[in-house]
Amino acid sequence: MKPAQFDYYAPASVEEALDKLAELGYEGKVLAGGQSLIAAMNFRMARPGSLVDLNNIPELSYIKPTADGGLAIGTMTRVYAVEHSPEVAKRFPLLPEVAHYIGHAQIRRRGSFGGAIAHADPSGQLPGIAKVMNAKCLIRSKGKEDRWVDAADLIIGPFMTVIEYEDLLTEVVLPPNPPRTGSSYQQVARQNGGYALAACASVLTLDDKNKCQDARLILMGVGEMPILSDKVKEILIGQEPTEEAFKEVGEAVQSEIDPSSDLNGTSEYRRDLIRVLVPRSLALSLERAKKGS
Amino acid sequence: MAQLIPIKVTVNDTVYERQVEPRLLLSDFIRHELGLFGTHVGCEHGMCGACTILFDGEPVRSCLIFAVQANGHQIKTVESLGSPDHMHPLQEAFHEKHGLQCGFCTPGILMTVVPFLEEHPHPTEDEIREAIDGNICRCTGYEKIIESVQAASEKMSSGK
Ligand SMILES: Cc1cc2nc3c(=O)[nH]c(=O)nc-3n(C[C@H](O)[C@H](O)[C@H](O)COP(=O)(O)OP(=O)(O)OC[C@H]3O[C@@H](n4cnc5c(N)ncnc54)[C@H](O)[C@@H]3O)c2cc1C
Ligand code: FES
Ligand code: FES
């Protein structure tokens, strides 16, 4: 199908974009990579009155180291650029590992890093990954103070965030991980580039006695939002990271998820996937934490 | 009244100036405004890959870009590769190895594989499979496509 009529604006700077968004109010919508929005418009599931295109704002595309050893990523940085950045690979190997699974290369060439988070698709990877990495999102709008929102607080429901009509997500900051941290991603999908039936990512930090200093786990595709597990912390922090403990986490998180059934997999099947994927991811993260990466 | 926006786009090294409605997809612009029917449209939601073109050298879905967004950019479509008398080595390889049956998916696959072979002149089978995982082919079962890409990489690296 074809999109419904809309007005189009292509501001050349962030300030201009904020002015336009403030002026348009409910009528306006941000166009980033368009890899979700234009598809939805072609189906007429989305019928925005006006689009404010960010593709002509070069100042929104960058990957910059922060003073504390983290990274700041401009919202319009293409997922493909994040996937292939040596800077990202060095500090956050989890990102290229995950990005590889997002859609197809042609989608990642255009889809933006911030757009994928702002879209808050419950089957998408990056909203959950931003959460498990403790990312901070910079939200700007005209006439208001800049706001820093934790990725964990950004997403409030399926396809719903605290980003309002006049707001722009401009930057995502990833704080550095302590030494002896390892991370990994696991997913099962029907085919390459297909949305995952179930997925998880874990980040483990070891103390100098090889006990778990910190453990973070995000469960994706098995609820209305990416779910940050509390159970993993209850079971692992301060403990020896053993295979048995990882299996216990896989069982315990069952109470935290609420997968639905669809054509591609039943709720029971998705639960079972999580039971298997969680210990796998934790074991891989442990191995990497021991290597200090 | 619908907005009409003037754009200037370079497609296959020719500069075109047109007035377009914002809602016109780049795929439809290429086909209906420019008459370049080599770019195929299968699904219009990014799934099938038939509409893949090069946008400033990068393979992307032309059904998920508006024509207005191409203003000032360089587009290459399958027509840029070669002609029936002077085929691109990749087209020759598809011809020789039966890399197509109905040919619907072929333009998108070619435009995906051209930049892929530039970055991977000697690809493994797994790399080829991954490179075309965003292109759906209903006919060939992919085996012949993979053979064709392998044959093309050999042709191209031996300079034939
Ligand atoms: C065939 C196909 C397969 C895909 N597979 C996957 C997959 O496996 N996993 C996955 O995670 N994704 C997948 N995607 C989606 C893809 O990753 C999208 O690129 C991404 O979800 C949205 O990013 P975008 O830059 O294209 O945003 P757009 O589509 O432009 O925008 C999405 C939404 O976010 C809003 N938005 C975007 N940027 C901002 C901003 N800076 N400030 C405020 N609001 C903003 C827009 O207004 C819109 O509502 C797939 C897409 C396709 C077409
Ligand atoms: S028509 Fe564009 S991907 Fe199918
Ligand atoms: S040759 Fe028919 S779809 Fe690929």
Side-chain angles (χ1 to χ4, degrees):
Chain A
M1 270 172 72
K2 310 294 175 192
Q5 208 171 296
F6 62 89
D7 284 339
Y8 173 81
Y9 302 95
S13 69
V14 171
E15 296 314 317
E16 262 182 56
L18 296 180
D19 283 349
K20 202 55 180 175
L21 286 170
E23 180 194 318
L24 292 168
Y26 287 119
E27 276 295 294
K29 191 147 187 69
V30 170
L31 173 61
Q35 301 302 288
S36 296
L37 181 55
I38 300 181
M41 289 173 69
N42 288 352
F43 273 121
R44 302 223 177 167
M45 285 183 333
R47 300 178 72 138
S50 298
L51 288 185
V52 178
D53 186 357
L54 304 184
N55 285 281
N56 296 318
I57 312 181
E59 64 186 291
L60 286 175
S61 295
Y62 54 84
I63 299 174
K64 276 193 249 178
T66 53
D68 61 3
L71 279 182
I73 302 182
T75 188
M76 281 304 288
T77 312
R78 311 290 171 180
V79 173
Y80 194 86
V82 173
E83 182 185 351
H84 293 275
S85 153
E87 204 69 75
V88 172
K90 197 172 71 195
R91 285 163 213 243
F92 303 106
L94 181 60
L95 271 183
E97 184 178 345
V98 172
H100 192 74
Y101 290 97
I102 301 178
H104 312 286
Q106 301 106 323
I107 305 293
R108 301 197 293 274
R109 296 261 189 177
R110 191 81 186 156
S112 69
F113 186 71
I117 296 171
H119 190 48
D121 183 340
S123 347
Q125 287 94 337
L126 290 179
I129 295 300
K131 263 174 125 168
V132 81
M133 294 178 83
N134 289 336
K136 299 209 177 320
C137 303
L138 177 57
I139 298 180
R140 299 188 55 194
S141 52
K142 192 183 177 182
K144 277 202 234 160
E145 292 268 311
D146 290 357
R147 284 184 289 156
W148 283 101
V149 181
D150 286 345
D153 301 324
L154 187 86
I155 300 157
I156 51 176
F159 304 101
M160 281 189 281
T161 65
V162 300
I163 304 172
E164 298 288 344
Y165 286 91
E166 66 281 9
D167 292 344
L168 195 61
L169 167 67
T170 59
E171 182 176 282
V172 180
V173 170
L174 305 169
N177 285 317
R180 308 202 72 211
T181 296
S183 56
S184 70
Y185 177 70
Q186 291 283 316
Q187 74 161 47
V188 168
R190 285 281 176 215
Q191 77 273 357
N192 259 12
Y195 282 99
L197 290 172
C200 69
S202 62
V203 183
L204 274 191
T205 305
L206 297 176
D207 64 17
D208 47 17
K209 296 191 188 68
N210 282 329
K211 296 221 165 126
C212 275
Q213 183 178 310
D214 191 17
R216 284 175 270 149
L217 173 69
I218 192 91
L219 308 162
M220 293 175 277
V222 285
E224 294 197 325
M225 298 190 265
I227 300 154
L228 207 45
S229 169
D230 290 323
K231 295 285 178 198
V232 74
K233 291 188 186 286
E234 285 169 24
I235 296 170
L236 291 181
I237 291 182
Q239 303 298 316
E240 204 88 45
T242 59
E243 209 175 298
E244 289 68 44
F246 292 165
K247 278 206 180 125
E248 194 187 329
V249 178
E251 296 290 343
V253 298
Q254 296 294 322
S255 65
E256 298 181 303
I257 60 178
D258 181 22
S260 51
S261 295
D262 63 23
L263 197 63
N264 295 310
T266 59
S267 175
E268 293 74 22
Y269 178 55
R270 289 186 153 98
R271 282 186 179 280
D272 233 39
L273 290 177
I274 287 293
R275 196 193 321 274
V276 175
L277 295 178
V278 163
R280 271 189 206 166
S281 170
L282 288 167
L284 201 53
S285 295
L286 173 64
E287 204 178 295
R288 292 172 180 174
K290 282 183 180 159
K291 286 188 203 136
S293 67
Chain B
M1 255 302 278
Q3 260 182 332
L4 272 183
I5 299 181
I7 59 167
K8 189 170 171 181
V9 195
T10 309
V11 181
N12 304 335
D13 298 325
T14 306
V15 180
Y16 296 90
E17 292 189 51
R18 292 284 194 282
Q19 304 261 345
V20 296
E21 257 192 79
R23 66 175 180 151
L24 182 67
L25 296 172
L26 181 56
S27 44
D28 287 336
F29 175 78
I30 290 168
R31 290 174 55 84
H32 303 303
E33 285 283 326
L34 306 185
L36 297 169
F37 295 110
T39 300
H40 289 171
V41 171
C43 65
E44 289 185 333
H45 62 278
M47 288 294 292
C48 75
C51 68
T52 304
I53 52 141
L54 300 186
F55 190 96
D56 296 334
E58 295 201 70
V60 294
R61 310 293 206 219
S62 60
C63 71
L64 296 184
I65 297 182
F66 293 113
V68 277
Q69 298 185 283
N71 185 31
H73 292 275
Q74 297 272 348
I75 309 290
K76 293 263 184 189
T77 69
V78 70
E79 284 88 351
S80 69
L81 293 187
S83 64
D85 298 331
H86 296 282
M87 283 194 278
H88 186 281
L90 184 61
Q91 290 172 314
E92 268 173 22
F94 269 68
H95 177 71
E96 286 159 12
K97 297 282 178 191
H98 303 281
L100 62 149
Q101 290 178 28
C102 79
F104 194 84
C105 66
T106 316
I109 292 186
L110 296 179
M111 296 318 280
T112 300
V113 171
V114 165
F116 167 71
L117 284 180
E118 277 165 22
E119 283 173 26
H120 303 83
H122 305 287
T124 61
E125 183 185 327
D126 282 350
E127 284 171 334
I128 299 173
R129 284 187 185 277
E130 197 184 311
I132 60 163
D133 72 12
N135 296 79
I136 293 174
C137 174
R138 300 187 317 165
C139 305
T140 62
Y142 303 99
E143 298 299 328
K144 296 286 175 188
I145 297 177
I146 289 155
E147 279 175 36
S148 305
V149 176
Q150 272 162 340
S153 75
E154 282 155 27
K155 268 179 200 278
M156 288 161 76
S157 54
S158 70
K160 269 187 247 163

